[in-house]
Amino acid sequence: MTTLTIMQGDITRQNVDAIVTAANAALLGGGGVDGAVHEAAGPDLLIACQKLGGCPSGEARITPGYRLPARWVIHTVGPVWQGGNAGEDAILAQCYRQCFAVAREYGLRSVAFPSISTGAFGFPVRRAARIALTEIKQMLRQTEFESIVVVCFEPEVYTAYRMLRAEIGV
Ligand code: AR6
């Protein structure tokens, strides 16, 4: 049985096999969660990212975690919110699926996710939480991980994820 935990906190402190970061397509660092991840991992992370040559939205890449407690970082690029009719929902769902695919490929047992796209990229939080938890629910039916953690930085985001968890029944 995979354990799903939704918590409020800082993803860079998570002691898991991999943490996911919400990057931009250049994969060269930025603000928000990605800024925190680069800060905590140290400069080697940027050097590893430079070698990846970017990442289109909806896809995921993996690097070591360097100074992080997590051994790996999965970099995914969420959609920029454009009003909801530009395929944002499907791209966000694909981010979660691709992160799980990379985690499976590397034999990882525990993965922590932030709330992808709901900061600088402006995706509405409740709508993003529904997509994230629906994808996680789907994955739980197919694959066995030890633990999946959703780490919400802001209290409102945490509340939204907890509400949607109850609604979706995951
Ligand atoms: N741990 C967990 N979640 C965090 C942390 C943290 N340490 N810090 C922020 N968050 P964002 P996006 C939350 O903007 O919307 C960057 O500049 C944050 O409160 O990090 O996908 C990249 O370089 C929010 O709920 O990612 C891209 O250009 C969530 O993480 C762009 O932002 C996502 O917010 C990506 O935008």
Side-chain angles (χ1 to χ4, degrees), residues 38 60 125 128:
H38 276 269
V125 173

Side-chain angles (χ1 to χ4, degrees), residues 20-150:
V20 173
T21 184
N24 59 48
L27 293 188
L28 298 178
V33 65
D34 202 45
V37 168
H38 276 269
E39 173 83 32
D44 287 341
L45 184 61
L46 184 60
I47 294 167
C49 284
Q50 281 163 347
K51 292 181 186 149
L52 294 172
C55 176
S57 65
E59 294 191 17
R61 303 285 185 267
I62 189 166
T63 64
Y66 301 102
R67 294 182 196 157
L68 287 164
R71 250 185 90 206
W72 301 97
V73 177
I74 300 174
H75 308 254
T76 192
V77 182
V80 177
W81 181 253
Q82 293 174 60
N85 296 314
E88 296 96 321
D89 292 345
I91 295 170
L92 185 60
Q94 202 191 322
C95 286
Y96 286 91
R97 289 198 293 271
Q98 293 292 313
C99 289
F100 284 127
V102 169
R104 271 194 300 270
E105 190 185 329
Y106 277 70
L108 309 184
R109 305 291 303 141
S110 52
V111 183
F113 285 88
S115 176
I116 300 163
S117 276
T118 64
F121 281 179
F123 206 114
V125 173
R126 270 183 62 84
R127 186 157 163 167
R130 183 183 300 282
I131 292 165
L133 293 171
T134 301
E135 287 307 318
I136 290 170
K137 184 176 184 177
Q138 183 68 22
M139 180 282 304
L140 293 175
R141 291 206 191 102
Q142 299 165 354
T143 315
E144 185 116 330
F145 287 97
E146 212 166 84
S147 130
I148 300 301
V149 187
V150 178

Side-chain angles (χ1 to χ4, degrees), residues 4-18:
L4 171 63
T5 308
I6 297 176
M7 61 173 290
Q8 200 185 333
D10 177 352
I11 201 166
T12 65
R13 312 287 288 271
Q14 298 304 306
N15 212 329
V16 285
D17 289 342

